[in-house]
Amino acid sequence: MRSLLRMTAVLRILVFTLFLAIQVDASGPRGGGGRGGGGGRAGLSSGGGGRGGFSREGPASGGGFSSARGQSGAKSRNFESQRGGAQQNRSGQLNRQGAPNQQTRSGNQQNRQSTLSQSQQSRSGNQQNRQNSISQNQQSRSSNQQNLQNTSGQNQQNRQNAASQNQQSRQNTSSQNQQNRQNAVSQNQQNRQDYANQNWDGYRPYGYYGPGYGYPVAAAAAIGVTGYAVGAATASQSATVVPVLPCTPTLVRVGDQNYYQCDGNWYAKVYSGSSVSYVAVKPP
Amino acid sequence: MEKGSGRLALLLAILAVPILSAQGQNPTESPSEPEAMPILKKMSEYLAQAGRFSVVVRQGFDVAQESGQKIEFGEVRKLTLSRPDHLRIEFEKSNGEKGLVIFDGKEITVYQANENIYASTAKPGTLDEAIKYAVGNLKIRFPLAIMLLSTFPSELESRVVSADYVEKTTITDVPCDHLAGRTAQGVDFQVWVAQGDQPVPRRIVITYMGETGQPQFWADLSDWNFAPDVSDALFAFTPPNGAERIQFLAEVRNVATKAASKNKKGGQK
C-alpha cells in the first residue's frame, strides 16, 4: 500500500512537472515572437524620440482593457478565456483556501472557531473542500495536545463533518462539472462571437511583429484616392513604414502632397499610433 | 484508523496539487466579489451618465525592449468631454512632444505640435462611434478609451471575469476603494475608486498578462470636474500657420488594400 502510494506520488509529480513544462513551452514561441518582432518594433516605433534606440511603444502603451494578442489570431487566448468563464461558474461555490488556512495556523482557540466557520463554508464547496478538511483535521490534531478536553470532541466532529462534506462535495462536483461542461460549450460559442467585439481596444503599435502585423497586409503598387502610390515596385511586397527616415530627405512638393526623397526612395508622412511615421510610396 | 486517514490525507494532498495549481492561473470568484462588483458598476455608471467632464490623467507604461529590459514612458493628458459628440484631449509626452486630439461631431483630428502636422478624417456621429473608430480603425493610441464611452458599464461588465475588493486605502489624495479585476482578454486591472458621492477612478493599473514581459500601464486621474467649460471654441481646430496635413497610416493602408484587391479581381498585376 505504501509503495503504491509512493509510486502514485512520483507519477503525480512527474505529470505535474510535465504540465509545467508544457506551459513554459507553450508560452515560449509567443514570447519569442514578441522579441523577434522587437527589432522591427524598436526600429518602427521610436516615434522620433528614441534617442537611446529605445522602443517607445508596446502593448501597454495603448492603455486598453484588451490585449491585441487575441486579435492577432492567438486562438489559445480565446480558449483560455472560455476556460476562465467556465472556471468562474464552477468556482462560484468554492471556498477560498488562503484566508482560512492562515487563520488555523494562528492559535488553538482561533482554530476551533475558524474550523467551525470553515465547516459551514465548505458545505457548498467541491474539490477544494477536501483540502480544507484535511488541513482542518491536521490543525485539530495539533490542537489536541494543548486543549485535550475541547479538541477531543472537536476532532470527532471534524472527522464527521469532513466525511459528510467530502461526500457532499463529490456529489456537488460531479453535477457541477456536468453543468460546467454544458455551460462551457455554449459559452465557447458565445465567447468566440463576443471576443472580436470586446477586444476592439487592444493596442498594437504598427510593426510590432514586423511590417503588416495587426493591419491588413497592403499589397503595393496601389494608387489610392489619397494621391499616394503606396509601396515598392512589386505587388508581393507590403508597405514599408519607418518612424525616422534613413537620411536627411529632400522635400518634393507635388500638387498638395509632400514627398520625402531619401536615397532614391520616396516616402510620405503619416500619423500612426500617436506619432509621425513615414510610409514608402511610389515616385510621384 | 489514524494511519489510514493519514495516507488518505497524503493521497488527497497529492491529488490536489495540480488542481490547485491550475486554479491559480484562472480567475476565480472571491468572497469579496459581491463587494467589488457594485463599486465597479457604480463607478462606470457615474462616468457613463455624466453629460460632460474634464480630468487630468498622468500616465505611464512599460515598454519591454528587445533585451528584455523594461523602460517606462509617460505622458500627461487633459481630457474634456461633452456628450454626445465632443471631445478634446491635450497631451504632453515624456519626451516633450505635445499635441491634440479633437472630435467635434463631424471630424476626428490629431495635431502634433513639434512636427506641426495634423491628420483629419470625417466621422460624423456620436462620441462613442468616433472613439471606437479612432481606436479600432485608425489605430490611434487612445489610453483608457473605454472609460469615455457611454457604454462603459457594459464594456466593463462584458470583460470582467472576476473582481476582488482589496482594501480601503487612505494614502491616496481622497479615500479610495482598491479593487482588482481580471478580464477574459488576458488583462488584469486594478482601480482605486473614490469613496463618497463622486465614485470616480483615481488610479488605474493595467497588466497585460499575455504579453512579453507582462508590461503595465498606470494612470493617476486628478482634477475631476463635472462642470467644465465646453464652449464650441474648445472643440474647434484651426491649423496653425504652416501646418502640414498628413494622413492616418491606417487610411493609406486601407486604400492600398482595397485597390490591390480590386486589381486582383480584375486580373491585373
Side-chain angles (χ1 to χ4, degrees):
Chain A
M1 179 65 183
R2 186 170 288 176
S3 62
L4 182 68
L5 274 171
R6 275 191 192 142
M7 280 177 69
T8 315
V10 169
L11 192 64
R12 276 278 150 194
I13 289 164
L14 277 174
V15 168
F16 183 53
T17 312
L18 191 65
F19 168 76
L20 283 178
I22 288 168
Q23 281 211 322
V24 169
D25 199 36
S27 65
R30 298 202 312 199
R35 282 192 295 274
R41 173 178 47 169
L44 284 167
S45 56
S46 65
R51 191 174 296 168
F54 288 118
S55 176
R56 295 188 65 86
E57 285 203 21
S61 60
F65 277 75
S66 309
S67 172
R69 176 81 67 180
Q71 277 183 330
S72 65
K75 286 180 182 169
S76 61
R77 210 40 171 158
N78 198 0
F79 180 63
E80 276 180 25
S81 74
Q82 295 145 16
R83 273 176 48 208
Q87 192 83 29
Q88 192 192 15
N89 288 345
R90 194 174 64 198
S91 61
Q93 296 182 346
L94 274 182
N95 294 327
R96 296 290 275 196
Q97 190 186 349
N101 270 358
Q102 282 177 347
Q103 283 176 7
T104 50
R105 275 188 214 110
S106 63
N108 291 330
Q109 213 160 15
Q110 204 173 347
N111 279 345
R112 285 194 297 280
Q113 288 169 356
S114 60
T115 306
L116 277 176
S117 70
Q118 280 174 13
S119 299
Q120 286 169 353
Q121 284 175 10
S122 55
R123 266 180 217 118
S124 62
N126 47 28
Q127 291 152 332
Q128 209 170 347
N129 281 340
R130 287 199 289 277
Q131 175 76 355
N132 281 345
S133 306
I134 291 157
S135 68
Q136 285 164 22
N137 279 343
Q138 286 172 342
Q139 290 295 339
S140 300
R141 274 199 296 280
S142 71
S143 304
N144 275 344
Q145 296 170 345
Q146 296 173 2
N147 301 287
L148 283 172
Q149 285 182 340
N150 289 340
T151 346
S152 167
Q154 190 74 46
N155 273 346
Q156 201 163 19
Q157 187 62 43
N158 280 345
R159 277 194 294 274
Q160 286 169 2
N161 281 349
S164 67
Q165 278 165 25
N166 284 346
Q167 198 165 22
Q168 187 62 43
S169 294
R170 276 192 294 274
Q171 286 170 1
N172 284 347
T173 310
S174 169
S175 64
Q176 190 78 42
N177 280 347
Q178 200 163 22
Q179 187 60 45
N180 282 341
R181 278 192 293 274
Q182 288 169 359
N183 285 347
V185 169
S186 64
Q187 194 152 2
N188 285 352
Q189 290 169 342
Q190 189 61 43
N191 279 347
R192 274 193 291 276
Q193 288 169 359
D194 290 346
Y195 195 74
N197 295 337
Q198 289 171 10
N199 214 30
W200 61 269
D201 67 334
Y203 182 71
R204 180 77 71 203
Y206 177 78
Y208 190 75
Y209 286 121
Y213 186 92
Y215 284 88
V217 176
I223 298 172
V225 291
T226 62
Y228 290 118
V230 179
T234 66
S236 61
Q237 287 177 288
S238 62
T240 303
V241 180
V242 292
V244 181
L245 289 175
C247 72
T248 305
T250 308
L251 177 63
V252 180
R253 191 158 179 89
V254 179
D256 60 349
Q257 305 279 9
N258 283 340
Y259 288 82
Y260 298 83
Q261 197 181 11
C262 195
D263 297 336
N265 295 313
W266 294 77
Y267 296 89
K269 236 182 217 181
V270 288
Y271 193 85
S272 167
S274 62
S275 55
V276 171
S277 298
Y278 295 85
V279 60
V281 295
K282 291 188 107 180
Chain B
M1 181 66 190
E2 196 69 17
K3 211 172 182 179
S5 68
R7 282 176 183 168
L8 184 65
L10 177 67
L11 184 62
L12 288 176
I14 292 164
L15 284 169
V17 166
I19 295 162
L20 294 175
S21 302
Q23 279 174 353
Q25 290 156 13
N26 283 304
T28 54
E29 184 180 290
S30 80
S32 68
E33 186 152 320
E35 197 178 354
M37 279 301 196
I39 299 173
L40 278 180
K41 187 168 183 277
K42 196 170 64 170
M43 181 265 292
S44 57
E45 284 175 350
Y46 189 79
L47 292 186
Q49 287 163 10
R52 56 181 163 151
F53 64 79
S54 67
V55 61
V56 174
V57 186
R58 177 175 287 273
Q59 59 202 26
F61 49 84
D62 296 325
V63 181
Q65 306 294 314
E66 209 174 340
S67 62
Q69 186 181 18
K70 277 192 274 192
I71 303 290
E72 183 179 298
F73 296 98
E75 65 189 320
V76 179
R77 292 190 161 215
K78 182 176 183 186
L79 288 76
T80 307
L81 173 152
S82 176
R83 293 201 165 97
D85 56 7
H86 283 64
L87 174 70
R88 177 190 175 94
I89 301 172
E90 296 166 38
F91 65 84
E92 179 174 355
K93 295 186 190 177
S94 50
N95 65 353
E97 283 183 15
K98 290 181 183 176
L100 281 175
V101 179
I102 285 181
F103 177 62
D104 61 0
K106 302 181 194 78
E107 291 189 323
I108 300 168
T109 303
V110 298
Y111 170 67
Q112 197 93 3
N114 58 313
E115 303 241 5
N116 202 20
I117 58 95
Y118 69 101
S120 192
T121 192
K123 184 60 191 169
T126 64
L127 186 53
D128 285 8
E129 291 163 346
I131 289 171
K132 285 199 168 189
Y133 185 77
V135 176
N137 295 65
L138 296 179
K139 310 286 182 189
I140 294 176
R141 195 169 69 79
F142 205 134
L144 305 177
I146 72 167
M147 203 183 77
L148 306 183
L149 298 178
S150 68
T151 53
F152 184 27
S154 60
E155 287 281 347
L156 204 55
E157 195 179 31
S158 66
R159 291 156 201 249
V160 175
V161 294
S162 74
D164 273 295
Y165 185 93
V166 179
E167 61 184 3
K168 176 189 172 180
T169 183
T170 51
I171 61 166
T172 36
D173 47 0
V174 296
C176 285
D177 294 312
H178 176 186
L179 313 174
R182 314 197 86 176
T183 75
Q185 285 81 12
V187 173
D188 287 358
F189 68 91
Q190 298 173 74
V191 57
W192 285 254
V193 180
Q195 292 187 327
D197 57 359
Q198 223 175 55
V200 293
R202 306 293 299 199
R203 181 173 169 78
I204 294 172
V205 174
I206 304 172
T207 308
Y208 300 88
M209 301 297 286
E211 301 289 352
T212 306
Q214 299 192 332
Q216 285 192 319
F217 168 93
W218 62 264
D220 286 332
L221 302 98
S222 62
D223 302 301
W224 282 98
N225 181 359
F226 286 85
D229 167 37
V230 288
S231 59
D232 284 349
L234 193 68
F235 306 98
F237 176 72
T238 309
N241 278 341
E244 182 187 352
R245 180 169 180 168
I246 64 171
Q247 288 181 296
F248 292 104
L249 172 62
E251 285 191 322
V252 174
R253 292 183 66 87
N254 284 343
V255 168
T257 310
K258 277 178 197 163
S261 83
K262 203 175 169 185
N263 283 346
K264 205 175 175 184
K265 277 180 189 168
Q268 295 169 17
K269 283 195 175 177

